[in-house]
Amino acid sequence: MTAVDARRARREGRGATGREPATRLPAPRGPVTATLFDRLTRPPDDSPIPLDVTGAELGDDDFQLALFVCYELHYQGFDDVDERWEWAPPLLAARMELERRFEETLAAAVPRPPLDGPVEVRRALRELTADDDGPSLSAFLSRRAGLEQFREFVIHRSIYHLKEADPHTWAIPRLRGRPKAALVEIQADEYGGGRAERMHSELFRATMRGLGLDDSYGAHLGRVPGITLAISNAMSLFGLHRRLRGALIGHLAALEMTSSLPNRRYAIGLRRLGGDDTAALFYDEHVQADAVHEQIACHDLCENFAAEHPWLAGDVLYGAACALRLERLWAEYVLGRWDAGLTSLRHP
Ligand SMILES: [Fe+2]
Ligand SMILES: [Fe+2]
């Protein structure tokens, strides 16, 4: 690639690697993904896809990967999956079974937070996010993590950050008035305000390259455990069902309201491990941007939405609680593995 090509590639958001490499289905992890992937690698037809997920746990690898792959058909898709599968009735029926189980496991893991009334949404969101006293992965990463642990952390995060903002964008056509304007204001920042190289997903790719990691979309899907996939699956579940739009915006608010301090710590940790300003820019950017997004999400988006849709106010809090709970379960998993001297990733 010449210097001119490299500059053009950066402007167009293709990173340093030029043409995007193919994104292919990962290896199956059990009977559910084996059945699903076998069908997805053939042309769509009308016969049912029988998936048994009765009793699957929230962080189950096989179950979460199957759901993630179903959702991914609505994002960038896979080069070895026919695009017509996205809306093929057997796929949608199978996805519905997976979602039914996912909603059950989420409901069992996340008590619905109490709410005095829709006018209390802003206060309740503040209490919920302030109460979050899970293990501090960000404190560990800032002070003690080794380079390999930081790289593992970035690999887990790549599942969401390489499509950062996309799941919450599903809410835009489902809102109107002030909440819609508020969400668009946040998302415009997430997408770089019209500059491809400033898109948060692109800033994250620079972080990955700075750590010597493959920054291509989907490159690490096969290496992350079910609990990492559950974090992204919750956003897609809320995003792809209009009935869950309250939970989706609450989920976004929780992310924005718990972002500034951890990102400051990630930047400190990355620089301690030798990362330069380009690699740390993703985290630096979020310290600033999310201090603003927090206000917009909590007040302009969620409070106004709850006032206009009081019957969905409880869902706003539930979505926030799901975000916090999944984040905590994931942090416990990662730190637990590291405490035991093990990798937090799956072996390829
Ligand atoms: Fe962001
Ligand atoms: Fe943000």
Side-chain angles (χ1 to χ4, degrees):
M1 188 185 282
T2 66
V4 172
D5 288 341
R7 267 203 305 279
R8 183 180 301 136
R10 277 199 297 279
R11 193 167 61 241
E12 292 173 359
R14 286 182 284 128
T17 49
R19 192 179 176 283
E20 284 284 346
T23 306
R24 305 185 73 82
L25 282 174
R29 297 184 183 180
V32 178
T33 42
T35 304
L36 179 66
F37 296 179
D38 176 57
R39 288 294 297 284
L40 288 179
T41 45
R42 291 186 273 142
D45 62 42
D46 291 336
S47 56
I49 308 173
L51 302 181
D52 183 8
V53 288
T54 328
E57 302 284 339
L58 182 58
D60 183 280
D61 275 347
D62 191 29
F63 163 56
Q64 291 292 352
L65 182 62
L67 184 55
F68 186 91
V69 164
C70 290
Y71 285 146
E72 190 54 35
L73 303 181
H74 297 292
Y75 296 99
Q76 302 291 320
F78 298 94
D79 292 280
D80 49 348
V81 176
D82 188 313
E83 292 185 337
R84 292 171 298 174
W85 271 115
E86 182 184 3
W87 295 105
L91 188 281
L92 297 180
R95 196 189 86 186
M96 200 182 292
E97 280 307 304
L98 296 165
E99 288 177 319
R100 202 193 314 272
R101 182 61 195 157
F102 188 37
E103 286 200 69
E104 284 172 3
T105 56
L106 267 183
V110 186
R112 288 185 78 89
L115 178 65
D116 294 335
V119 293
E120 292 295 311
V121 156
R122 179 160 35 156
R123 187 183 56 76
L125 277 173
R126 294 228 177 273
E127 285 176 6
L128 202 60
T129 47
D131 262 10
D132 188 39
D133 60 350
S136 183
L137 184 59
S138 62
F140 181 83
L141 287 164
S142 79
R143 290 198 288 264
R144 290 173 48 208
L147 183 58
E148 265 319 298
Q149 289 171 325
F150 206 99
R151 294 172 92 234
E152 283 193 19
F153 162 71
V154 166
I155 286 174
H156 284 281
R157 289 301 205 199
S158 71
I159 302 301
Y160 170 59
H161 287 324
L162 290 180
K163 62 164 168 250
E164 182 159 316
D166 289 347
H168 299 103
T169 299
W170 298 120
I172 293 175
R174 291 164 183 177
L175 300 174
R176 56 188 170 197
R178 286 184 298 176
K180 186 183 195 114
L183 180 56
V184 170
E185 185 178 359
I186 294 172
Q187 299 303 81
D189 276 353
E190 304 288 345
Y191 290 125
R195 292 170 62 196
E197 78 280 7
R198 296 294 298 190
M199 291 199 294
H200 290 185
S201 53
E202 286 301 317
L203 299 182
F204 193 74
R205 293 177 75 181
T207 304
M208 297 187 80
R209 292 192 297 273
L211 287 162
L213 295 169
D214 184 348
D215 67 341
S216 50
Y217 190 89
H220 304 284
L221 179 55
R223 300 205 57 201
V224 299
I227 190 63
T228 307
L229 299 174
I231 290 176
S232 280
N233 284 342
M235 302 182 215
S236 296
L237 170 74
F238 298 156
L240 288 166
H241 293 271
R242 184 178 173 278
R243 68 183 163 88
L244 297 171
R245 61 199 183 283
L248 181 63
I249 62 169
H251 186 285
L252 176 61
L255 292 193
E256 301 291 359
M257 294 169 77
T258 55
S259 170
S260 273
L261 176 61
N263 277 292
R264 189 186 305 277
R265 290 174 174 160
Y266 302 147
I268 291 169
L270 184 52
R271 288 194 168 93
R272 175 177 62 79
L273 293 165
D276 62 14
D277 287 349
T278 305
L281 181 57
F282 174 84
Y283 301 118
D284 294 340
E285 173 82 13
H286 281 85
V287 174
Q288 303 296 328
D290 287 349
V292 178
H293 293 173
E294 170 178 350
Q295 305 299 327
I296 303 171
C298 187
H299 176 255
D300 302 340
L301 175 60
C302 289
E303 191 172 49
N304 283 325
F305 177 83
E308 292 163 17
H309 307 78
W311 64 95
L312 294 176
D315 281 10
V316 174
L317 289 193
Y318 178 66
C322 285
L324 299 172
R325 180 78 185 134
L326 288 170
E327 189 71 18
R328 182 173 177 168
L329 289 172
W330 171 75
E332 285 171 356
Y333 177 83
V334 171
L335 286 170
R337 298 283 297 181
W338 289 349
D339 273 351
L342 300 167
T343 170
S344 62
L345 298 173
R346 292 169 51 86
H347 291 289

